[in-house]
Amino acid sequence: MTKSWPPYELVEDNLADRARHKLDKLERLYHIGQNNIWDGRQVLNDLIAKHGPPRLPPAQKQSALKILSVLLWGELAAWAISADLAERIDDVEAKMAATSQAHDEARHFYVLRDYLRALGEPVPRLGGLGRRLLISILETPSLVEKLIGMQLLTESNALAIFRGLADSRIEPVLAELLPYYEKDEARHVGLGVMYLPRLLSQLSTTGVASVVAFQLRSIGILMTAGLTMHQHFRNLGIDPRKMAQHTVRLQDEVTHDMLGEAGAGEKPRDAVRGLLNPAKGFGPRILDFLHPPTGLANAPAWHRGVLAAWTRGAFWADRALA
Ligand SMILES: [Fe+2]
Ligand SMILES: [Fe+2]
């Protein structure tokens, strides 16, 4: 007995237990999802009964429809992507979380579709840039790119749009409907936060390079697509700079949470290997360039010129790729 004393294992992290604990947390996303399921038909019907049939103010109608179109097709893509993740992820617990997400995204899609039907307005077509981005996430064979593209990039942008649109209180049914979406989407980010670190920490050098290239391309498309939407956001009283800051803050939080998910014996940095954080490096400077802190009118002439040319290119590409 004295030979095995002191019992070091009492203070040592049990590697198997820690790994188990992480998987349990992933499985919990499924159970929380099940507890928080809302009946989309009931919620929408109750809101319409409370506020009357939804009608958009004429001056803001086109802008609101353009943004709702992005959300509608984004939800459909999220549905297909999460179903694909559910099939391709090996760990049962993460598979359960992705399956729960697919169920949520199906509800998000049909409720938004039914809301648009209740509005009685034709839904504008999706811009070509948004279309390209969603297709690239749908089609990438890489599980890591799919998770980064959907759970981190698209979900954080969607969360910022949901918040901006709900705060704009353009229409009461929509304003009360969107918080239901937000709660679900926040949980979806959790799958990326908890599952990506184990995939990122195993990436080879070439794997890191291709993940970085994928993110640069996706962020480039997101920023360019954003330029075609700024006028619509402003028209609804949503400040595009504030929205971009909100997105960056969310992605920064995600990076911090992921650092805490590093496996036993791993360096925390490995958990976010290859992941770009727009709150760091050139990120804040790019944000200030796209959204000058003191307003575009006060920016130097060269700055306004470059941004105007980029915006013209964005509108051209958005049409050409549609
Ligand atoms: Fe969704
Ligand atoms: Fe989602």
Side-chain angles (χ1 to χ4, degrees), residues 126-139 221 317 321:
L126 184 64
L129 290 166
R131 192 174 150 263
R132 272 305 335 148
L133 179 71
L134 293 175
I135 289 175
S136 76
I137 304 171
L138 278 164
E139 286 184 342
I221 299 177
L321 296 168

Side-chain angles (χ1 to χ4, degrees), residues 38-50 107 110-111 114 177 180:
W38 45 285
D39 181 341
R41 286 171 306 179
Q42 172 108 44
V43 167
L44 184 60
N45 288 340
D46 288 353
L47 287 174
I48 291 178
K50 180 178 169 190
R107 180 179 343 101
Y110 86 75
V111 174
D114 291 352
L177 186 60
Y180 285 90

Side-chain angles (χ1 to χ4, degrees), residues 207-263:
V208 169
S210 78
V211 164
V212 168
F214 173 81
Q215 290 170 88
L216 288 173
R217 200 165 58 236
S218 303
I219 293 169
I221 299 177
L222 274 168
M223 289 190 306
T224 310
L227 286 172
T228 69
M229 299 299 288
H230 286 177
Q231 50 169 3
H232 296 305
F233 288 124
R234 285 199 196 93
N235 196 18
L236 301 184
I238 305 169
D239 179 357
R241 179 176 164 87
K242 278 208 188 110
M243 219 172 60
Q245 285 172 322
H246 185 64
T247 309
V248 167
R249 208 165 35 241
L250 284 168
Q251 289 178 345
D252 191 37
E253 280 169 22
V254 162
T255 311
H256 280 283
D257 291 348
M258 283 175 65
L259 286 169
E261 293 292 326

Side-chain angles (χ1 to χ4, degrees), residues 264-306:
E266 279 172 11
K267 291 189 216 101
R269 299 256 15 120
D270 286 347
V272 294
R273 190 191 286 162
L275 192 72
L276 301 179
N277 180 359
K280 297 271 154 61
F282 286 109
R285 263 181 275 174
I286 295 173
L287 192 142
D288 281 349
F289 183 79
L290 281 167
H291 311 277
T294 53
L296 188 59
N298 299 321
W302 70 266
H303 186 164
R304 277 179 283 144
V306 173

Side-chain angles (χ1 to χ4, degrees), residues 78 101 105 108 155 185 188:
Q101 181 180 346
E105 307 295 12
H108 293 175
E155 297 273 5
E185 303 300 0
H188 301 165

Side-chain angles (χ1 to χ4, degrees), residues 80-143:
I81 291 163
S82 49
D84 189 27
L85 287 172
E87 197 221 352
R88 291 179 39 193
I89 290 175
D90 288 328
D91 293 289
V92 170
E93 295 79 1
K95 223 181 207 353
M96 287 168 74
T99 306
S100 162
Q101 181 180 346
H103 185 244
D104 288 339
E105 307 295 12
R107 180 179 343 101
H108 293 175
F109 175 75
Y110 86 75
V111 174
L112 200 49
R113 178 204 62 186
D114 291 352
Y115 172 79
L116 286 159
R117 282 182 179 160
L119 273 180
E121 305 285 350
V123 184
R125 292 172 73 94
L126 184 64
L129 290 166
R131 192 174 150 263
R132 272 305 335 148
L133 179 71
L134 293 175
I135 289 175
S136 76
I137 304 171
L138 278 164
E139 286 184 342
T140 173
S142 152
L143 197 55

